[in-house]
């Protein structure tokens, strides 16, 4: 009987699933949008039951009929991360999940832990400086701001591990996700830090560590009844979506770099050894014996979606109109820091800036300026990776933003680097299915699942023009940071929160 594999990914603004043949051919795909909660400035949350689990069940039930008698051999899951979902001993969430680096609530705790433990030692031991991406400061925020919730917490869950627990009853976390729980994880020893974990998360039982390529359990009777999955189906450990997405496009060899075009822009570069850098995240890879450098912008697709909503238009027309605008957007320059910025500036109180605006500019110029601003941010991050010693031998693009061609061409022209586009850019769900195939031995030729079908090459004339704009892009943040911080403080105060510190 032919075998098929199922992959489900829970994203920031939507969830996706695929049913895949053992040779990598996609048989069926499904998606489901969902809402993200912003209860206060700097707070970004998901409800695990109504978003993560409800999406998972809906996607599984939509995809399973397409199996049509084929044997379902394995299930892989991934999700946004790193996140903090406190749960009781039965795995029941005690509050909404605190999302990854776009949630900036734990600024005070970041400063306190850095002072207590030492910035250099944190970077050396964990591979990353403490930023809004780190889970450790958010655990301390929970203990200080919601002590009753913390007292009842018996599980530290992320999106993928929550799904794994619902399906199998196992309390586990993959090494990659754990390596983003700074400063709880020792990157060199590849285990929870015996010294720091008890300090940062006192009395919190930490999950068993596993690899994303492992089968960690099987679907139980209750989960089978809820989802329609066969009882006993093998389930992999899961991981954070960006690393599943990198797997989906063959980013597995040292020197490979994934550029993920989504709600946020994310980068994963594969290494053979840890290379800590204060402007990036150093982590374990999804596969044993690999490490990665990672970078992430706080917004990308979120900005283009915001503009689409303002213009009450559709993406296809906006892209077509922006494509008619020359490089440089007729003298506009945009900082895409609409939710602060993560790498490489790590400034949660940075804000979006649009410079050069006149009444002669229209929506086409604004939309192209947004794409170019994101492209300048991409180059900034690639340069930081090169400084860390991570030579980028191959850039592979993935995600919804690769459709249409304009965005990837702009990024390629700005960075001066070609990008490979694989046959399938559906993303992390496809990588989840591949990880399930590797874990169960069901995947036929895992290295040949998703071949490159096109290459985006830089245009020398546009690249030369963007070189001049990039210099001013780098200057614009420094020139406007003080004003942006003042405005961010006013936004916090207007919402009733504490004002951010001004420089």
């Amino acid at each position: 009987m032919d075998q098929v594999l199922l992959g489900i990914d829970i994203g920031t603004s939507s969830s996706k699933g695929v049913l895949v043949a053992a040779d990598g051919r996609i048989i069926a795909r499904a998606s489901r949008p969902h809402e993200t909660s912003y209860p206060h400035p700097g707070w970004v949350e998901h409800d695990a039951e109504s978003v993560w689990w409800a999406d998972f069940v809906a996607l599984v039930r939509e995809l399973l009929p397409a199996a049509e008698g084929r044997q379902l051999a394995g299930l892989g899951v991934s999700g946004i991360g790193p996140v903090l979902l406190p749960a009781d001993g039965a795995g029941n969430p005690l509050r909404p999940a605190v999302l990854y680096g776009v949630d900036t609530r734990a600024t005070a705790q970041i400063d306190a832990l850095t002072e207590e433990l030492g910035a250099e030692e944190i970077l050396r031991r964990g591979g990353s400086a403490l930023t809004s991406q780190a889970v450790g400061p958010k655990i301390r925020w929970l203990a200080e701001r919601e002590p009753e919730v913390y007292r009842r917490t018996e599980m530290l869950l992320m999106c993928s591990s929550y799904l794994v627990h619902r399906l199998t009853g196992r309390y586990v976390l993959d090494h990659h996700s754990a390596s983003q729980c700074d400063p709880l994880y020792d990157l060199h020893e590849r285990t929870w830090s015996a010294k720091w974990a008890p300090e940062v998360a006192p009395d919190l039982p930490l999950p068993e560590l596993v690899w994303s390529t492992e089968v960690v359990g099987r679907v139980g009777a209750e989960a089978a009844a809820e989802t329609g999955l066969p009882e006993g189906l093998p389930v992999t450990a899961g991981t954070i979506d960006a690393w599943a997405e990198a797997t989906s496009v063959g980013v597995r060899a040292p020197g490979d770099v994934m550029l993920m075009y989504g709600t946020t822009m994310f980068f994963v570069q594969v290494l053979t050894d840890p290379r800590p850098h204060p402007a990036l995240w150093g982590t374990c890879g999804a596969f044993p014996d690999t490490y990665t450098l990672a970078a992430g912008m706080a917004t990308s697709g979120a900005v283009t979606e915001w503009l689409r909503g303002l213009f009450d238009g559709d993406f296809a027309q906006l892209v077509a109109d922006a494509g008619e605008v020359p490089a440089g957007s007729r003298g506009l320059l945009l900082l895409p820091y609409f939710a602060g910025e993560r790498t490489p500036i790590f400034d949660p109180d940075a804000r979006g800036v649009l410079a050069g605006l006149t009444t002669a500019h229209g929506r086409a110029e604004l939309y192209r300026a947004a794409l170019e601003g994101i492209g300048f941010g991409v180059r900034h991050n690639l340069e930081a990776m090169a400084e860390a010693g991570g030579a980028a031998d191959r850039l592979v693009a993935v995600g919804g933003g690769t459709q249409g061609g304009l965005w990837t061409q702009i990024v390629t022209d700005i960075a001066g680097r070609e990008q490979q586009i694989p046959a399938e850019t559906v993303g992390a769900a496809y990588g989840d299915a591949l990880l399930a195939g590797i874990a169960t031995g069901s995947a036929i030729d895992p290295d040949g699942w998703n071949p490159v079908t096109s290459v985006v090459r830089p245009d020398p004339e546009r690249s030369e023009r963007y070189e001049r704009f990039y210099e001013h892009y780098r200057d614009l943040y420094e020139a406007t940071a003080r004003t942006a911080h003042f405005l961010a403080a006013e936004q916090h105060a207007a919402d009733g929160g504490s004002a951010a510190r001004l420089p």
Side-chain angles (χ1 to χ4, degrees), residues 262-287:
T263 304
T264 65
M265 178 72 73
F266 206 85
F267 314 76
V268 174
Q269 179 171 17
V270 182
L271 306 170
T272 56
D273 56 280
R275 297 181 190 177
H277 189 285
L280 301 166
W281 299 303
T283 73
C284 282
F287 293 82

Side-chain angles (χ1 to χ4, degrees), residues 15 23 33 36 49 57 84 101 120 135 155-156 243 245 252 288 298 319 373 402 448:
S15 300
D23 62 1
T36 298
E49 180 72 27
V57 173
L84 170 62
E120 291 186 6
V135 172
M155 288 187 181
L156 170 68
W243 278 258
E245 196 140 16
R252 296 168 58 183
V319 169
T402 61

Side-chain angles (χ1 to χ4, degrees), residues 127-144:
S128 306
L130 293 187
T131 68
S132 63
Q133 187 80 350
V135 172
K138 292 173 182 177
I139 294 175
R140 177 165 286 191
W141 178 93
L142 184 71
E144 293 176 352

Side-chain angles (χ1 to χ4, degrees), residues 221-491:
E222 184 176 345
E226 286 190 67
T227 63
L229 290 167
E231 187 175 350
L233 176 70
V235 179
T236 62
T239 193
I240 291 173
D241 54 3
W243 278 258
E245 196 140 16
T247 299
S248 79
V249 293
V251 172
R252 296 168 58 183
D256 287 352
V257 181
M258 177 201 71
L259 275 62
M260 183 182 78
Y261 294 75
T263 304
T264 65
M265 178 72 73
F266 206 85
F267 314 76
V268 174
Q269 179 171 17
V270 182
L271 306 170
T272 56
D273 56 280
R275 297 181 190 177
H277 189 285
L280 301 166
W281 299 303
T283 73
C284 282
F287 293 82
D289 302 321
T290 63
Y291 295 86
T292 58
L293 275 176
M297 298 168 64
T299 58
S300 54
V303 176
T304 61
E305 172 61 30
W306 174 72
L307 284 171
R308 186 201 63 76
L310 287 182
F311 299 142
D312 194 25
D314 63 85
F315 278 123
Q317 189 60 55
L318 283 170
V319 169
D321 293 344
E324 298 298 318
V325 176
S329 301
R330 297 194 175 96
L332 290 182
L333 190 57
L334 180 139
L335 292 182
Y337 306 153
F338 284 55
E341 187 53 300
R342 296 190 285 171
T343 63
I345 66 172
F346 287 128
D347 184 354
D349 287 326
R351 289 296 182 265
V353 175
L354 181 61
L357 190 63
T358 73
T359 56
H361 292 110
R363 69 176 198 169
E365 288 84 4
L366 290 174
Y367 194 77
R368 185 178 184 105
L371 297 179
E372 290 174 343
I374 296 162
F376 293 131
V378 170
R379 175 170 171 178
H380 196 183
N381 277 285
L382 290 175
E383 288 179 350
M385 287 179 156
E387 290 170 6
D393 299 325
R394 187 171 73 105
L395 304 183
V396 186
V398 66
T402 61
Q403 306 303 311
L406 179 62
W407 196 357
T408 51
Q409 185 64 60
I410 286 174
V411 169
T412 281
D413 290 338
I414 289 172
R417 295 289 307 274
E418 69 178 33
Q419 296 180 79
Q420 298 180 358
I421 311 292
E424 290 291 346
T425 59
V426 67
Y430 191 52
D432 297 330
L434 177 54
L435 287 168
I438 293 171
T440 60
S442 303
I444 300 171
D445 185 21
D447 293 330
W449 258 42
N450 196 7
V452 172
T453 55
S454 64
V455 178
V456 184
R457 295 182 172 86
D459 176 273
E461 184 177 340
R462 290 194 295 265
S463 291
E464 182 180 356
R465 180 168 177 76
Y466 281 135
E467 194 71 31
R468 300 193 298 274
F469 274 77
Y470 180 65
E471 177 184 352
H472 288 279
Y473 171 87
R474 294 290 300 270
D475 290 342
L476 187 59
Y477 167 67
E478 297 296 336
T480 59
R482 184 172 181 273
T483 298
H485 293 168
F486 166 76
L487 296 173
E490 290 297 304
Q491 291 162 9

Side-chain angles (χ1 to χ4, degrees), residues 70-90:
R70 301 178 182 92
Q71 179 189 3
L72 188 57
L75 166 65
V77 297
S78 64
I80 48 172
V83 304
L84 170 62
L85 176 66
D88 63 20

